[in-house]
Amino acid sequence: MTNNTGRLVDGKLQPPTRQLAMVFDLNKCIACNTCTIACKTQWTRDEGMDYMWWTITNTLPGKGTPKDWEESGGGFISGNKMRPGHMPTKEDFGAAWEFNYDEVFQGGKGNKVHLKPKGNPQWGPNWDEDQGGGEYPNSYFFYLPRLCNHCNHPACVEACPRKAIEKREEDGVVLINEKRCKGYRFCMEACPYKRIFFNFEKDVSQKCIFCYPRLEQGVAPACARQCPGRMRHVGYLDDENSSVYKLVKKWKVALPLHGEFGTGPNVYYIPPMAPPRTGADGNPDYSKPRIPPEYLEGLFGPRVNEVLNTLETEMQKRRDGKESEIMRTLIVYKWPQDIFPSFSKEPADLVPVKGVKK
Ligand code: SF4
């Protein structure tokens, strides 16, 4: 890995030749967290990584992972001015718990003692899963998978005094060079999405690597490949044949999360639709949407309602027996070629290289 200093011109990081991106269809996510476990199994089983979830799927509305990350600062205010940020602790992320295995299995207490976490934990990853918001019968929730956004203007890169974080020239993937990292953790404060973790055993920061060793062999990232909902699209933003290009650039129905943070994220979301509200008489109430529009605008920006209208129109076309290219793309009839065309090779064909597992 090179470090980014060679790509700085007048102190500014030069854009990569190509940019990889992901699109998540929130209308297909069931929060099974298969993606989360696929990533965990592949990359974060080593020393000091037990509390790390490089990708995780939270319930919204909710405090998320780490706790209250949306209010934790970081990113930029008006262009290049960095916004102060909070450094999340291991407890904010939800440190791994110990359980009373000894007491249950070797304590001689028969079936009088049951398995429970030690120490009365008050927070954990996905602590508020499926709680959501609103009031019955018009409560609502949806799922939001998150990972490093491999941003165009990464606050983590700007914040690192060691120039230990690189944005790759060939695909825009943002990587931490652990040999250069000295564990200052300014990157953790600066990232507004709070997607950097500190390895307390190795004294280095670590995060999602977009499965670059798999990408280099034409294999999709583990989270996307394993997703049973086929909701994670992966591709280059300049590849006009990719679903990523069509959803982000052509049809403009995929939106960045908290674009106002100013980092230019490269993970995009098809916003969540919801069933109609239930009226006082028990019948559907179409007078206003179930998920408050202002809540969605706060997440995905002012275009979100226009996008939801487009999705509704396209769905209606299908109900009427007409063709809809947008719906066809989101359904993903041909897997894997339709969802990650440049990365549809079988993981079983990966040639083993150091640090890469099948
Ligand atoms: Fe850096 Fe955070 Fe952007 Fe990832 S999401 S590139 S860690 S600023």
Side-chain angles (χ1 to χ4, degrees):
M1 187 195 304
T2 58
N3 77 49
N4 67 49
T5 48
R7 297 185 45 241
L8 287 176
V9 175
D10 295 334
K12 284 196 183 142
L13 186 64
Q14 295 306 292
T17 312
R18 302 189 85 187
Q19 179 63 58
L20 271 171
M22 276 200 196
V23 172
F24 295 161
D25 182 356
L26 297 188
N27 296 298
K28 290 171 79 181
C29 180
I30 55 170
C32 61
N33 274 297
T34 306
C35 49
T36 310
I37 299 303
C39 176
K40 185 87 195 153
T41 309
Q42 184 104 91
W43 299 116
T44 60
R45 285 186 300 165
D46 290 343
E47 217 180 17
M49 302 176 103
D50 47 356
Y51 85 101
M52 294 186 194
W53 303 95
W54 286 356
T55 185
I56 192 161
T57 300
N58 293 141
T59 300
L60 285 191
K63 292 178 186 296
T65 309
K67 190 179 190 179
D68 291 324
W69 67 271
E70 289 175 88
E71 282 86 48
S72 293
F76 301 94
I77 314 165
S78 55
N80 269 338
K81 189 167 178 242
M82 296 194 81
R83 189 169 66 131
H86 161 73
M87 187 190 301
T89 63
K90 216 173 177 181
E91 287 66 37
D92 290 336
F93 281 104
W97 301 329
E98 295 286 327
F99 284 82
N100 59 336
Y101 293 117
D102 293 350
E103 195 181 19
V104 172
F105 297 121
Q106 278 117 34
K109 294 180 181 170
N111 61 4
K112 293 192 197 79
V113 173
H114 302 288
L115 208 57
K116 61 180 182 190
K118 285 182 180 174
N120 190 24
Q122 298 296 308
W123 187 251
N126 265 332
W127 184 270
D128 50 7
E129 185 168 25
D130 286 357
Q131 286 183 13
E135 283 187 17
Y136 180 83
N138 289 311
S139 37
Y140 61 91
F141 66 79
F142 59 92
Y143 301 121
L144 186 83
R146 287 166 50 238
L147 71 171
C148 168
N149 289 279
H150 299 277
C151 305
N152 294 334
H153 186 191
C156 56
V157 171
E158 294 269 355
C160 179
R162 291 277 307 156
K163 308 269 179 246
I165 310 182
E166 174 201 16
K167 186 163 176 66
R168 298 211 306 183
E169 205 273 334
E170 63 269 44
D171 54 16
V173 170
V174 173
L175 297 175
I176 297 174
N177 183 337
E178 290 181 20
K179 292 200 178 107
R180 289 192 64 83
C181 178
K182 289 286 181 204
Y184 298 149
R185 287 171 267 177
F186 294 124
C187 56
M188 291 179 71
E189 291 177 358
C191 171
Y193 299 93
K194 302 301 173 219
R195 287 289 86 205
I196 299 187
F197 302 78
F198 189 64
N199 187 319
F200 290 88
E201 302 296 326
K202 295 185 176 167
D203 283 339
V204 291
S205 295
Q206 296 176 318
K207 69 165 197 70
C208 160
I209 58 173
F210 217 126
C211 285
Y212 77 87
R214 293 168 62 109
L215 297 176
E216 288 172 357
Q217 293 191 46
V219 177
C223 59
R225 177 81 198 193
Q226 297 307 118
C227 172
R230 302 181 180 181
M231 61 74 81
R232 291 188 176 219
H233 299 247
V234 181
Y236 292 101
L237 281 171
D238 64 353
D239 175 2
E240 295 189 8
N241 293 317
S242 75
S243 53
V244 159
Y245 170 85
K246 290 176 188 167
L247 295 165
V248 175
K249 301 273 187 189
K250 185 177 172 188
W251 300 317
K252 298 182 172 41
V253 292
L255 301 168
L257 176 65
H258 284 303
E260 78 280 7
F261 289 167
T263 61
N266 284 300
V267 174
Y268 296 83
Y269 296 85
I270 305 294
M273 306 175 83
R277 290 168 58 84
T278 303
D281 58 359
N283 288 318
D285 168 11
Y286 296 98
S287 62
K288 57 181 177 179
R290 178 173 287 260
I291 306 178
E294 57 277 13
Y295 180 65
L296 292 178
E297 281 170 23
L299 292 168
F300 303 112
R303 284 199 57 246
V304 70
N305 294 309
E306 176 195 330
V307 170
L308 288 170
N309 287 338
T310 301
L311 295 175
E312 186 55 52
T313 304
E314 295 299 314
M315 277 180 71
Q316 190 58 45
K317 281 190 198 167
R318 295 295 289 146
R319 289 190 200 107
D320 294 343
K322 295 178 187 153
E323 186 50 69
S324 162
E325 214 185 330
I326 293 180
M327 285 300 132
R328 179 169 285 281
T329 301
L330 292 173
I331 290 168
V332 189
Y333 284 103
K334 291 190 197 132
W335 183 91
Q337 63 269 37
D338 278 0
I339 193 165
F340 19 80
S342 300
F343 307 103
S344 57
K345 288 196 182 153
E346 288 290 319
D349 296 336
L350 275 170
V351 177
V353 291
K354 194 165 178 275
V356 185
K357 303 160 197 129
K358 284 191 177 181

